[in-house]
């Protein structure tokens, strides 16, 4: 088995704009939790929004990014996205947005018009994925991964299933096109069942528990809102659900062994590159949202 290294509790909640109440689980700007190539994860745990009768939708207005990718996974609620590459649309429940900031992009994220009018349960994950130095200035792009186009792999013994957002399992390839080798699996372990998952030895591995109580390797227990990090050793991991189903987000990947220098919305390899990112943004090189 691949041993559990540590279990982390989510940090305190804070608002991003006025539409996303998030709990950070890890960040490249804080302590190293062994998540490389993943930089940051904010979890917007289930939150009930009342209908919004104001003229302005809730969310975050135009802001820049450079040097990495953002991944938004919609569990409940809807987000309207627009960016300066021309990408955009509605991220519906079950959909995933994979946006490559690359050489620089400006985007905005608001509750969709439909969700704003009706209100309802909102739950999302936003993940930041690092880019290797050779790809940090790649042209921006937008991948809309509709729920219907995300492959689902059923686990043995009817123990649950995995949605393959990125990566590969049992010869089935995930929906996203990535720059480095990684797995982003969104899964469910049914109540009273156990799943055994094999992860390449070359990958760092973390599992976020989004719902339920999970027992890992018949030893450690983690609950909703916790991050489980694993030793970088060989072997499968075992995940057992209790009396209720367990919902997880599994993140694994080959680490990018390069310096990480982050400042606000930019993640580069050197301080000089960060200064250049600010210069490029101020001079209008990131484009604009039409």
């Amino acid at each position: 088995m691949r041993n559990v290294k540590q279990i982390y509790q989510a940090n305190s909640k804070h608002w991003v704009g006025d539409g996303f109440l998030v709990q950070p689980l890890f960040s490249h700007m804080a302590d190293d939790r062994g998540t490389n190539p993943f930089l940051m994860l904010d979890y917007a745990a289930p939150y009930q929004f009342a209908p919004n009768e104001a003229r302005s939708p809730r969310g975050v207005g135009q802001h820049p990014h450079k040097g990495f990718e953002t991944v938004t996974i919609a569990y409940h609620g809807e987000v309207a996205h627009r960016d300066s590459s021309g990408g955009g649309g509605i991220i519906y429940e079950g959909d995933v947005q994979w946006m490559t900031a690359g050489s620089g992009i400006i985007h905005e994220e608001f509750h969709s018009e439909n969700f704003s009018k009706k209100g309802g349960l909102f739950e999302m994950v936003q993940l930041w994925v690092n880019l290797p130095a050779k790809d940090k200035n790649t042209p921006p792009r937008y991948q809309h991964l509709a729920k219907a186009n995300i492959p689902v792999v059923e686990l043995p013994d009817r123990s649950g299933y995995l949605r393959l957002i990125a990566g590969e399992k049992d010869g089935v390839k995930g929906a996203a096109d990535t720059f480095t080798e990684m797995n982003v699996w969104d899964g469910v372990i049914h109540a009273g069942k156990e799943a055994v998952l094999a992860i390449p030895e070359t990958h760092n591995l973390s599992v976020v528990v989004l719902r339920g109580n999970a027992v890992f390797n018949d030893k450690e227990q983690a609950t909703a809102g916790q991050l489980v990090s694993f030793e970088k050793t060989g072997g499968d991991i075992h995940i057992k659900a209790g009396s209720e189903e367990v919902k997880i987000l599994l993140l694994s990947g080959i680490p990018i062994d390069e310096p990480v220098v982050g400042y606000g919305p930019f993640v580069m390899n050197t301080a000089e590159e960060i200064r250049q990112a600010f210069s490029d943004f101020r001079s209008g090189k990131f484009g604009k949202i039409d």
Side-chain angles (χ1 to χ4, degrees), residues 71-76 91 94-97 123-127 163 165 184 186 249:
V71 180
T72 303
I73 306 170
Y75 294 107
H76 295 285
I91 310 166
D95 291 353
V96 176
Q97 166 206 281
E123 180 186 10
M124 300 226 171
V125 161
Q126 184 162 99
L127 177 68
R163 294 200 315 151
I165 296 169
V184 180
D186 178 32
L249 179 63

Side-chain angles (χ1 to χ4, degrees), residues 13-91:
K13 297 179 181 179
H14 69 270
W15 285 95
V16 176
D18 63 355
F20 309 100
L21 181 60
V22 303
Q23 301 169 277
L25 272 162
F26 61 83
S27 171
H28 59 292
M29 302 298 289
D31 58 308
D32 183 3
R33 298 189 174 182
T35 60
N36 185 355
F38 304 100
L39 294 166
M40 187 197 80
L41 187 146
D42 278 349
Y43 177 41
Y47 184 88
Q48 189 74 30
F49 280 94
N52 180 17
E53 298 179 359
R55 289 186 178 181
S56 300
R58 298 183 178 99
V60 182
Q62 296 185 18
H63 58 282
H65 289 301
K66 178 180 172 70
F68 63 100
E69 302 180 287
T70 68
V71 180
T72 303
I73 306 170
Y75 294 107
H76 295 285
E78 299 174 1
V79 173
H81 168 96
R82 292 197 305 157
D83 67 51
S84 57
S85 77
I90 306 297
I91 310 166

Side-chain angles (χ1 to χ4, degrees), residues 33-267:
R33 298 189 174 182
T35 60
N36 185 355
F38 304 100
L39 294 166
M40 187 197 80
L41 187 146
D42 278 349
Y43 177 41
Y47 184 88
Q48 189 74 30
F49 280 94
N52 180 17
E53 298 179 359
R55 289 186 178 181
S56 300
R58 298 183 178 99
V60 182
Q62 296 185 18
H63 58 282
H65 289 301
K66 178 180 172 70
F68 63 100
E69 302 180 287
T70 68
V71 180
T72 303
I73 306 170
Y75 294 107
H76 295 285
E78 299 174 1
V79 173
H81 168 96
R82 292 197 305 157
D83 67 51
S84 57
S85 77
I90 306 297
I91 310 166
Y92 296 99
E93 292 186 4
D95 291 353
V96 176
Q97 166 206 281
W98 198 295
M99 185 188 78
T100 303
S103 61
I105 199 168
I106 297 171
H107 78 142
E108 63 181 28
E109 300 163 294
F110 291 102
H111 292 183
S112 72
E113 183 179 356
N114 178 63
F115 183 79
S116 293
K117 288 180 179 179
K118 294 182 177 179
L121 190 65
F122 191 90
E123 180 186 10
M124 300 226 171
V125 161
Q126 184 162 99
L127 177 68
W128 287 15
V129 180
N130 200 11
L131 289 171
K134 67 182 181 63
D135 295 314
K136 283 193 176 292
N137 286 304
T138 194
R141 69 175 179 177
Y142 181 86
Q143 299 179 72
H144 178 77
L145 311 178
K147 178 180 178 180
N149 296 329
I150 298 175
V152 178
V153 173
E154 298 291 336
L155 296 173
D157 302 322
R158 297 182 179 179
S159 59
Y161 61 88
L162 298 171
R163 294 200 315 151
L164 306 188
I165 296 169
E168 184 174 347
K169 177 160 176 56
D170 299 337
V172 180
K173 292 185 177 181
D177 180 24
T178 65
F179 286 84
T180 60
E181 183 180 316
M182 67 185 68
N183 293 314
V184 180
W185 298 345
D186 178 32
V188 165
I189 314 300
H190 297 313
K193 296 288 188 176
E194 181 176 10
V196 178
L197 303 178
I199 304 297
E201 293 184 20
T202 54
H203 285 206
N204 283 339
L205 171 64
S206 301
V207 175
V208 179
V209 179
L210 300 174
R211 196 162 299 122
N213 298 307
V215 176
F216 291 86
N217 299 342
D218 297 318
K219 295 178 183 178
E220 288 84 7
Q221 181 169 310
T223 60
Q226 292 186 318
L227 172 76
V228 184
S229 69
F230 291 83
E231 301 283 355
K232 196 174 177 182
T233 55
D236 302 333
I237 64 168
H238 295 228
I239 309 175
K240 184 182 295 183
S243 58
E244 298 180 355
E245 75 172 23
V246 166
K247 187 165 184 59
I248 63 166
L249 179 63
L250 183 147
L251 307 172
S252 80
I254 295 177
I256 299 172
D257 292 325
E258 297 171 351
V260 174
V261 179
Y263 193 98
F266 308 135
V267 182

